[in-house]
Amino acid sequence: MAKLYVNAKNKLGKINKEIYGHFSEHLGRCIYEGIYVGENSEIPNVNGMRTDVVEALKKIKVPVLRWPGGCFADEYHWKDGIGPKESRKKMINTHWGGVVEDNSFGTHEFFELVEQLGCEAYINGNVGSGTVQEMSEWVEYMTFDGVSPMADLRAKNGHEKPWKVTYFGVGNENWGCGGNMRPEFYGNEYRRYQTYVRNYKADAPIYKIACGPNVDDYLWTEGVLQTCTDPMGRRARDFMNGLSLHYYTVPGNWGHKGSATEFDEKEYYVTLKKTLYMEKLIKGHGAIMDRYDPEKKIGLIIDEWGIWLDVEPGTNPGFLYQQNSMRDAIIAGINLNLFNKHCDRVKMANIAQMVNVLQSVILTEGEKMVLTPTYYVFDMYKYHQDAQLLESSIDTEEIGLEEKNMVPNLTESVSQAEDGTINITIANLSATDSYPVESILLEKEVTEVSAEILTGKITDYNDFDNEEKVKTAVFNGIVTEGNTLKFTIPACSVLHIAVK
Ligand code: AHR
């Protein structure tokens, strides 16, 4: 019997709602078709945004959306995406499939989407191929409330009032697609560019995010933080509020990443093992950040995470369209539990990507829409948003098929919402075995318990001809004895328990 201890008296910190954030890039069918179909589309829409997708996203309470990239961000020139649509410049999306980008989705459309979703805006600026002036004018265009060339231009384009930019990324992957820079060079560029990301609203300062490392590139983290610390006594936190980290789970290698739906148990455990590496990265980069920022003022912003697989057969390789199985759900469960547990440093995370690209929560085909297993995990975990992380631990055993790829059978995280409800989320990583669990709630009187579960075979997925093969169901298997909950968690499942 695995024991799960929860100490309701020990609150460890706030789980920022932004940990449940999303990422949408001008890539394949993410923005175009997946989200934006245009006002004249036969697909039901409000101001061009598909109604079905927006409604589904509202249900999981998307807290923040990152846009326009990704690699696309460092090639994006925002002025091409404003003004009358018929006169907007067309460009080649060189990174993603070489298709024509007609710029019909630009700044105004993004904020329309943000308003419909009711979420925070995370804009990613262009350092790689853009100028300081271009970046600074974009910030002025979006946020300045008064008379200025950019505010006047915004008003001329139909939006008198400024928008709220909560987060601003100064470049993306500048060690790679964003300019192939070295950490010291980027660090200096960052210092310069961020200077002109002006805070026009004193009461709502923009949270500035520096480009952080790729996976385990600790030299990058060190180099950027070091460059942003100077003899004049200024510290990295005087220049940045956040530092990003990108880590994708790739089951195979970049040449043969692996199929989204056809894999065996061995590959399943390899994938989970690689996912769990996220914790090492959080701790490793976190330790460097601790030296430069012991008070943890700088957030670790994991603004690209998820599983990256081979594209679905017959689809454009540049569009990164992949299916999403129960394995994806387990990956989401593992990562989100980890982010919750490290909420002292992890302040935002953005799954890549929201619709039709990589580990999406939604897939679309024409007017049809499918919610993926990952969607249901976000739906069950939404109760952690802005809740207080509670001290918790669970007994685990090592499982797997190969000695080098063993993983713990269970992962969990627990939080307490403002109304006192304790929300427990547990992932059972085993492909085959269920486990009895005894959950002991210290310092908590249990009056009411409800639960929901997502479970299936590791390769189960939803498709356009079978939309609901995987979906959450009410879980009635909990027996309450005083402040102890007893239940058996089925193989390959993600469980959410709400305790009042
Ligand atoms: O999410 C796809 C791509 O992955 C992004 O554009 C880039 O930042 C990363 O390499």
Side-chain angles (χ1 to χ4, degrees):
M1 174 88 71
K3 287 207 165 52
L4 163 62
Y5 289 101
V6 178
N7 182 355
K9 270 271 146 65
N10 199 6
K11 298 196 172 74
L12 301 177
K14 186 174 144 202
I15 297 172
N16 262 8
K17 67 179 194 296
E18 283 82 352
I19 281 180
Y20 292 85
H22 291 252
F23 169 37
S24 59
E25 180 167 13
H26 287 238
L27 195 178
R29 297 184 302 113
C30 181
I31 295 287
Y32 299 111
E33 290 183 42
I35 298 169
Y36 181 73
V37 287
E39 293 83 344
N40 301 324
S41 171
E42 283 178 4
I43 297 175
N45 69 84
V46 175
N47 297 328
M49 313 298 156
R50 358 183 0 150
T51 312
D52 53 355
V53 169
V54 169
E55 287 310 311
L57 292 171
K58 275 162 75 173
K59 180 157 186 289
I60 58 172
K61 293 192 187 300
V62 168
V64 60
L65 185 58
R66 176 176 182 236
W67 174 82
C71 294
F72 183 79
D74 282 277
E75 272 193 316
Y76 183 61
H77 299 287
W78 68 273
K79 284 187 184 164
D80 297 347
I82 55 169
K85 292 203 179 175
E86 56 287 1
S87 47
R88 291 189 193 175
K89 249 191 223 166
K90 294 188 173 44
M91 67 182 275
I92 305 292
N93 192 333
T94 50
H95 278 292
W96 307 119
V99 292
V100 175
E101 161 66 56
D102 69 2
N103 277 304
S104 56
F105 187 98
T107 304
H108 291 248
E109 290 75 20
F110 174 68
F111 280 101
E112 168 68 27
L113 174 62
V114 159
E115 267 165 40
Q116 289 191 25
L117 293 174
C119 72
E120 308 291 339
Y122 174 7
I123 298 279
N124 211 118
N126 178 348
V127 169
S129 72
T131 62
V132 173
Q133 181 181 358
E134 183 182 12
M135 187 180 283
S136 126
E137 285 185 342
W138 199 9
V139 173
E140 180 188 326
Y141 186 88
M142 293 184 286
T143 62
F144 185 66
D145 193 5
V147 177
S148 85
M150 291 303 115
D152 292 352
L153 183 58
R154 184 186 66 232
K156 192 173 142 232
N157 287 331
H159 210 275
E160 175 110 28
K161 283 275 142 216
W163 297 285
K164 183 175 170 222
V165 174
T166 315
Y167 298 96
F168 193 91
V170 180
N172 167 75
E173 296 196 351
N174 301 93
W175 36 260
C177 66
N180 287 308
M181 302 173 190
R182 293 184 176 174
E184 293 71 25
F185 181 81
Y186 172 76
N188 282 317
E189 288 291 88
Y190 174 79
R191 290 173 65 132
R192 188 162 75 104
Y193 275 72
Q194 68 79 37
T195 307
Y196 304 94
V197 176
R198 301 282 189 210
N199 279 320
Y200 292 110
K201 284 184 180 169
D203 57 339
I206 296 174
Y207 187 105
K208 295 182 219 175
I209 299 169
C211 166
N214 182 31
V215 195
D216 56 358
D217 187 353
Y218 297 114
L219 291 178
W220 179 274
T221 302
E222 182 84 45
V224 170
L225 291 174
Q226 167 75 65
T227 309
C228 290
T229 306
D230 62 30
M232 289 160 69
R234 289 178 297 182
R235 297 153 299 180
R237 73 182 228 203
D238 297 322
F239 296 105
M240 68 183 73
N241 305 102
L243 182 74
S244 68
L245 163 66
H246 289 181
Y247 174 53
Y248 287 97
T249 301
V250 180
N253 55 54
W254 284 102
H256 297 280
K257 297 182 270 298
S259 159
T261 51
E262 285 168 28
F263 53 89
D264 58 16
E265 268 183 42
K266 201 164 123 192
E267 191 172 327
Y268 170 77
Y269 285 113
V270 169
T271 311
L272 301 194
K273 180 85 183 175
K274 288 188 171 182
T275 301
L276 286 155
Y277 187 55
M278 181 66 93
E279 180 153 41
K280 197 159 180 216
L281 296 175
I282 295 172
K283 286 183 177 162
H285 292 293
I288 299 170
M289 292 171 84
D290 283 349
R291 278 197 277 109
Y292 289 91
D293 174 40
E295 285 136 347
K296 294 191 176 9
K297 295 280 183 203
I298 302 174
L300 185 61
I301 307 297
I302 306 174
D303 56 16
E304 289 187 30
W305 69 270
I307 184 170
W308 192 324
L309 298 156
D310 292 334
V311 297
E312 284 305 299
T315 64
N316 186 329
F319 281 15
L320 311 185
Y321 177 72
Q322 64 190 44
Q323 249 299 349
N324 193 291
S325 70
M326 267 308 296
R327 176 177 64 173
D328 295 58
I330 301 295
I331 290 169
I334 293 172
N335 273 318
L336 294 171
N337 280 338
L338 274 176
F339 301 156
N340 286 347
K341 292 230 170 194
H342 290 278
C343 67
D344 58 335
R345 186 59 92 177
V346 179
K347 298 297 176 191
M348 167 155 54
N350 308 72
I351 191 166
Q353 299 191 2
M354 193 153 77
V355 187
N356 290 335
V357 171
L358 303 178
Q359 188 173 346
S360 304
V361 292
I362 292 176
L363 303 176
T364 67
E365 193 178 85
E367 76 291 349
K368 291 192 198 157
M369 175 188 83
V370 154
L371 305 177
T372 66
T374 302
Y375 174 92
Y376 290 107
V377 175
F378 273 79
D379 195 34
M380 288 193 289
Y381 276 60
K382 67 187 174 197
Y383 304 97
H384 289 305
Q385 291 191 24
D386 280 346
Q388 287 291 329
L389 178 72
L390 293 183
E391 182 191 2
S392 68
S393 67
I394 194 164
D395 298 335
T396 58
E397 55 189 81
E398 293 281 291
I399 55 166
L401 300 178
E402 300 169 289
E403 212 176 310
K404 60 176 195 265
N405 288 313
M406 301 297 278
V407 298
N409 57 340
L410 303 166
T411 82
E412 49 71 41
S413 64
V414 184
S415 70
Q416 185 155 36
E418 219 175 316
D419 69 357
T421 307
I422 292 184
N423 288 293
I424 304 171
T425 48
I426 313 176
N428 179 356
L429 281 56
S430 173
T432 49
D433 293 352
S434 57
Y435 300 98
V437 180
E438 188 174 282
S439 175
I440 299 141
L441 291 127
L442 308 169
E443 305 289 344
K444 167 80 186 166
E445 219 170 276
V446 178
T447 55
E448 198 186 314
V449 177
S450 59
E452 51 186 341
I453 192 159
L454 188 74
T455 188
K457 291 207 214 73
I458 55 174
T459 49
D460 281 353
Y461 62 95
N462 296 331
D463 211 347
F464 298 98
D465 52 7
N466 193 359
E467 294 178 6
E468 299 198 336
K469 187 172 175 70
V470 184
K471 63 172 186 171
T472 40
V474 173
F475 183 68
N476 288 319
I478 301 184
V479 175
T480 310
E481 287 170 13
N483 64 345
T484 301
L485 318 177
K486 289 185 179 167
F487 54 91
T488 295
I489 185 164
C492 189
S493 63
V494 182
L495 176 66
H496 163 228
I497 307 172
V499 186
K500 289 195 196 289

